[in-house]
Amino acid sequence: MFFSMTGYGRVEKQLSNYYLVIDIKSLNGRYFDVIPRISESLCIHENKIISLIKKKCIRGKVFLNISLRPNNQSDNLYKLNNKNFNNYYSKIKQLQKALDKNQDYQPTIDHLLKVPEIFEPEDEVTIGKNSKILFDCIDKAINQLIAHRKIEGAEIEKDILSKVKIINNDIKKIVRLSATTKAKELKKIKEKINLVMPELDLDENRLYQEIGIILEKKDINEEINRLNSHISLLKDFIAQSNDDIGKKINFLLQEIIREINTVGSKVENVKI
């Protein structure tokens, strides 16, 4: 069974004093990589969260966003952070003094609103003893992600198998065309020799030996056999459910392309 590396999951949970939102998405990636954006109060659980994702996702670039905010039922969601405000205001005064400005400068509201962390939640929102709820929600979001990966993976598997069928049919055509090509090639070489050197008396055995060497260089039986072997192995890999199936298939596809290129460089038949 195929699993894509792209997927998405989202879980929202509203409790008595906070609102929990978990977003998780994944993209193609050669290795496993998590980029977390987690509320500060949840950072203590970060390693455990990443371990849970790695256990289920194995590969891909995963973006995780967990926000924890107060319920909108509260009237006073935020308060002024006096420490940050006073620090910012004192820096303005220092800058004014350093520039030797006599006129007293007062920052506008627009300037103050741009100051980072000048406001903070009225009450710090923490998960508290509800860490089980947090991990249950994360687990649900991951399961949604995996379900998405599975659906897309099934479409990829279907597409690959259809392409394999086309390649199999083309290989049969190449085998049929190459069989007739050998006879035509032999006839063509003999005609060229007679045309260039009509009076030359050549030993028949020697002639066929040289022609055999030429035809051997153009023979594609070995490449066809390897192609059939690679495609058979590819089907076996697709039927498996190993976690590293993508790496195996990627290697096989490279080998298939290599054999196809070799066939193309050896034959002169345009139809092939």
Side-chain angles (χ1 to χ4, degrees), residues 17-67:
N17 63 334
Y18 63 85
Y19 191 66
L20 176 66
V21 179
I22 299 170
D23 274 298
I24 182 169
K25 66 178 180 179
S26 64
L27 302 175
N28 290 337
R30 189 173 181 181
Y31 306 104
F32 175 77
D33 185 26
V34 177
I35 301 175
R37 290 182 59 191
I38 301 175
S39 295
E40 189 174 346
S41 60
L42 300 177
C43 286
I44 190 174
H45 302 293
E46 184 173 323
N47 289 337
K48 190 176 178 181
I49 291 170
I50 292 175
S51 297
L52 178 62
I53 297 171
K54 185 176 183 179
K55 184 179 179 182
K56 291 194 170 186
C57 292
I58 311 299
R59 287 178 68 194
K61 193 169 187 177
V62 180
F63 298 86
L64 175 68
N65 189 0
I66 303 178
S67 63

Side-chain angles (χ1 to χ4, degrees), residues 103-167:
Q103 185 179 0
D104 187 28
Y105 171 75
Q106 297 296 331
T108 65
I109 292 293
D110 289 341
H111 291 151
L112 292 174
L113 290 175
K114 294 177 183 178
V115 179
E117 298 182 0
I118 197 170
F119 293 103
E120 63 183 3
E122 183 69 31
D123 298 310
E124 184 181 5
V125 183
T126 61
I127 200 74
K129 296 180 180 179
N130 294 320
S131 60
K132 185 178 183 304
I133 295 176
L134 169 66
F135 283 99
D136 285 345
C137 290
I138 293 172
D139 197 53
K140 288 179 182 178
I142 295 172
N143 288 338
Q144 288 181 15
L145 173 78
I146 293 173
H148 194 163
R149 281 181 159 192
K150 185 177 180 181
I151 292 171
E152 189 171 314
E155 292 299 317
I156 294 172
E157 180 177 340
K158 183 180 177 182
D159 182 64
I160 290 178
L161 288 174
S162 69
K163 298 295 191 298
V164 168
K165 187 177 180 180
I166 293 171
I167 293 172

Side-chain angles (χ1 to χ4, degrees), residues 40 48 59 69-70 73 106-107 138 144 154 158 163-164 177 186 195 201 203 223 228 244 250 261 266:
E40 189 174 346
K48 190 176 178 181
R59 287 178 68 194
R69 57 179 184 269
Q73 299 169 357
Q106 297 296 331
I138 293 172
Q144 288 181 15
K158 183 180 177 182
K163 298 295 191 298
V164 168
L177 288 170
L186 176 61
L195 181 65
D201 184 21
D203 180 63
E223 286 74 18
N228 286 324
D244 59 347
N250 187 50
N261 287 336
K266 280 189 172 184

Side-chain angles (χ1 to χ4, degrees), residues 181-198:
T181 300
K182 287 181 181 178
K184 289 180 179 179
E185 194 71 29
L186 176 61
K187 184 180 179 181
K188 189 189 296 184
I189 293 172
K190 291 179 71 175
E191 286 176 352
K192 283 184 178 180
I193 292 173
N194 291 329
L195 181 65
V196 175
M197 297 174 290

